[in-house]
Amino acid sequence: MNRDTICVQGGYTPGNGEPRQIPIIQSTTFKYDTSEDMGKLFDLEADGYFYSRLQNPTCDAVARKIAALEGGAAAMLTSSGQAANFLALFNICQCGDHIVSSSTIYGGTFNLISVTMAKMGIDVTFVSPTATEEELDAAFRPNTKAVFGETIANPALTVLDIEKFARAAHAHGVPLIVDNTFPTPVNCRPIEWGADIVTHSTTKYMDGHGAGVGGAIVDSGHFDWMAHADKFPGLTTPDESYHGITYAERFGQGGAFITKATAQLMRDFGCCQSPQNAFILNLGLESLHVRMARHCANALAVAQFLEQHPKVAYVDYCGLESSPYHALARKYLPHGSCGVVSFGLAGGREAASTFMKSLRLAAIETHVADARTCCLNPASSTHRQMNDEQLKAAGVPAELVRMSCGLEASEDLIADIAQALDQV
């Protein structure tokens, strides 16, 4: 089906006399007639449900829709986008391993990889998204297990050259993991360009209404784990914590990654999405294809206005022809990128502070990709754990403002920005 149709009808098909909308299965547990029946589930020999911390019918239906939208083989929902990125990486990494990551990624993910996972003994080398193939190649080590990047970085808005990063990853026998939160599969499907695993903060455009926190992981089913068995023992050797199952042998390329992440990591970390949030997420998905076009149109109008304003030092939006990422955007994002525009005030940190205080329509929120326009100065909020050098490296200097353009009339958004700039 076309992606637009999948947004509306994917993941769940009711039978005769069954609910038209995905039912909310708000239950922690599921009843079985015999212990043997339940035992088959624990042995992964039969399909079914026994505890919602691992799997739930409502969540699985929505995960199937997201897998179909991305063109993947299997998917799972998580409690947040951060949980999705952590599980996606930790599913194939352990103490003593190494990750190569784009340096311009969301501040929370930067901290997850560089600080929290470092405490677990997993090292990282950050590379510029514009790194040459030679520079990328030099970042790898014998113990590298994954490459990570964001299709459109939050909030730097750099566009990842997915094919280049995929070539580098595959040349070293490791998968490319891409966070596709900002464009969503409506505007880009990284798997079609060589990505192996795709993650999402479903809290953003997929939900789209600031109603439910969540995340998702999609496996392309393309990466051959057994061909690189020595690198990924968690998938290619028996899991003694789960009846000695070898995931890659039992479930193949299309099922091994998500099955292990569910049966092992979700079991142990418990960062599951609630059925209620999955239901809310599905309502957002049903209009995603319609909303993304409006978000992108509003963002382009705002970016074009800002680019001409004397109090604005620069504008980062790949839809502008002046953007250094415009060519990559035309390649990977021909139908639009996202509704987020980043720009710097010529007056620096003080000017950014005055601008933020003067906004009337756009709300100051630790959020993005909402139906309502919201705005943030990352250096003083989401990225405040970084020093000035790290802020510059991540593409979020002190004067930067990130504006997430909602679904309002573009004329009203521009009027609000204009009056706020008048106060600077």
Side-chain angles (χ1 to χ4, degrees), residues 2-14 19-24 58 61-62 65-66 69 184-186 202 204-209 277-292 407:
N2 182 285
R3 263 171 283 187
D4 294 3
T5 305
I6 295 172
C7 281
V8 180
Q9 300 224 21
Y12 170 73
T13 302
R20 186 65 190 88
Q21 181 56 276
I22 293 176
I24 303 173
T58 307
V62 181
K65 176 180 284 192
I66 294 174
L69 284 169
T184 81
V186 169
T202 63
K204 309 305 190 298
Y205 287 118
M206 284 187 168
D207 172 287
H209 301 85
N277 275 20
F279 178 83
I280 292 170
L281 167 59
N282 187 62
L283 292 180
L285 288 170
E286 288 179 353
S287 63
L288 181 63
H289 59 296
V290 179
R291 291 185 288 106
M292 286 307 295
L407 303 178

Side-chain angles (χ1 to χ4, degrees), residues 104-107 150 152-157 182 204 368 383 396 402:
T104 52
I105 55 177
Y106 169 59
E150 295 177 359
I152 302 175
N154 175 17
L157 301 183
F182 268 17
K204 309 305 190 298
V368 72
H383 289 60
V396 286
R402 181 190 69 185

Side-chain angles (χ1 to χ4, degrees), residues 150-172:
E150 295 177 359
T151 312
I152 302 175
N154 175 17
L157 301 183
T158 56
V159 178
L160 190 72
D161 190 340
I162 301 171
E163 284 192 315
K164 180 176 70 175
F165 274 71
R167 281 196 302 271
H170 297 159
H172 290 270

